[in-house]
């Protein structure tokens, strides 16, 4: 009971006065749980020090958010769940980057089979074939998954209504996504060609 009262005092000090020494005491108390949780996640882009730093940030955020009077769980459970959620978010982002990189390694033949000949004489760009290939290879890295899907559907000369139906989007979502694509592609064209 005294340990719980001490923890409540530490949490109050962190929340009201941003007391770093109290935060350090909370981190020491939960260090075994933090280390165990860190060992469960193997992230390529984050080493153990990064994950421990993330734990410090989550500890501070949960200390500020936790209300002992209205809590349905203990602070330790709340902190652990928040920490696991943060590590899962980092893992999802890392895996999304891997998928995006794999998508960018599409061969020209596969791209043409899936999307048709975008290098026809009717193409508006006056750049060379190499410039067009460079531009196309940059697009998957530049656009989000949904933006890329909408762009590919638009390249098939589909109307906004057809794109929305095909990708299960609302018309406004489709218009907004196309606008983001135009903006990002314009920035890329400016970067690559000075247009």
């Amino acid at each position: 009971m005294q340990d719980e009262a001490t923890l409540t005092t530490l949490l109050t000090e962190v929340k009201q006065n941003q007391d770093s020494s109290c935060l350090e005491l909370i981190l020491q108390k939960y260090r075994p749980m933090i280390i165990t949780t860190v060992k469960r996640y193997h992230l390529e882009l984050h080493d153990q020090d990064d994950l421990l730093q993330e734990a410090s940030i989550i500890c501070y955020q949960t200390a500020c958010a936790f209300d002992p009077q209205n809590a349905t769980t203990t602070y330790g459970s709340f902190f652990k769940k928040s920490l696991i959620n943060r590590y899962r978010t980092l893992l999802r982002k890392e895996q999304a980057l891997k998928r995006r990189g794999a998508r960018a390694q599409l061969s020209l033949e596969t791209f043409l089979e899936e999307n048709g000949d975008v290098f026809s004489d009717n193409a508006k760009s006056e750049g060379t074939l190499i410039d067009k290939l460079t531009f196309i290879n940059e697009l998957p890295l530049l656009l989000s998954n949904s933006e890329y899907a909408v762009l590919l559907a638009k390249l098939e000369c589909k109307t906004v209504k057809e794109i929305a139906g095909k990708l299960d989007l609302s018309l406004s979502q489709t218009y907004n996504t196309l606008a983001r694509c135009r903006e990002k592609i314009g920035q890329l064209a400016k970067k690559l060609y000075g247009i």
Side-chain angles (χ1 to χ4, degrees):
M1 186 72 173
Q2 184 179 2
D3 190 38
E4 192 174 309
T6 304
L7 179 60
T8 303
T9 304
L10 292 172
L11 292 169
T12 303
E13 283 298 312
V14 170
K15 188 174 189 174
Q16 293 177 354
N17 304 320
Q18 290 79 39
D19 189 330
S20 60
S21 61
C22 290
L23 181 64
E24 209 43 57
L25 291 172
I26 296 170
L27 281 167
Q28 285 175 7
K29 176 177 174 50
Y30 290 101
R31 187 155 181 85
M33 180 274 293
I34 294 169
I35 297 298
T36 303
T37 306
V38 164
K39 288 180 180 177
R40 287 178 51 195
Y41 293 90
H42 303 285
L43 299 156
E44 291 178 20
L45 302 177
H46 299 82
D47 61 13
Q48 186 171 0
D49 289 338
D50 294 332
L51 296 178
L52 291 173
Q53 182 65 34
E54 289 290 336
S56 298
I57 293 168
I58 296 300
C59 183
Y60 175 75
Q61 291 173 343
T62 55
C64 291
F66 188 74
D67 182 6
Q69 281 76 31
N70 298 321
T72 58
T73 185
T74 64
Y75 172 75
S77 297
F78 180 60
F79 177 32
K80 182 177 182 179
K81 190 164 197 81
S82 298
L83 186 60
I84 289 170
N85 287 340
R86 178 62 185 153
Y87 290 163
R88 286 179 178 166
T89 299
L90 292 173
L91 186 60
R92 277 193 300 273
K93 284 183 181 179
E94 198 170 279
Q95 289 173 342
L97 288 173
K98 287 180 188 175
R99 284 193 305 273
R100 181 177 278 186
R103 184 179 67 186
Q105 296 172 2
L106 197 65
S107 71
L108 176 60
E109 290 80 17
T110 305
F111 183 86
L112 291 175
E113 283 175 17
E114 291 177 3
N115 304 300
D117 182 8
V118 295
F119 303 115
S120 67
D121 294 333
N122 298 330
K124 294 181 181 177
S125 171
E126 297 178 6
T128 65
L129 180 61
I130 293 172
D131 288 340
K132 290 177 184 177
L133 284 172
T134 302
F135 191 80
I136 287 172
N137 287 334
E138 289 288 324
L139 289 178
L141 302 172
L142 178 73
L143 302 174
S144 70
N145 289 338
S146 62
E147 291 167 348
Y148 192 68
V150 168
L151 176 65
L152 291 179
K154 185 63 180 164
L155 290 174
E156 295 173 3
C157 300
K158 294 197 178 289
T159 65
V160 173
K161 190 173 183 179
E162 289 172 329
I163 295 168
K166 178 182 178 182
L167 300 176
D168 196 30
L169 299 170
S170 69
L171 284 175
S172 64
Q173 286 174 315
T174 308
Y175 279 115
N176 290 338
T177 304
L178 281 170
R180 286 193 310 273
C181 287
R182 277 189 215 99
E183 183 179 329
K184 289 180 178 181
I185 290 170
Q187 290 171 356
L188 178 61
K190 189 173 186 178
K191 178 181 143 189
L192 292 176
Y193 309 116
I195 298 172

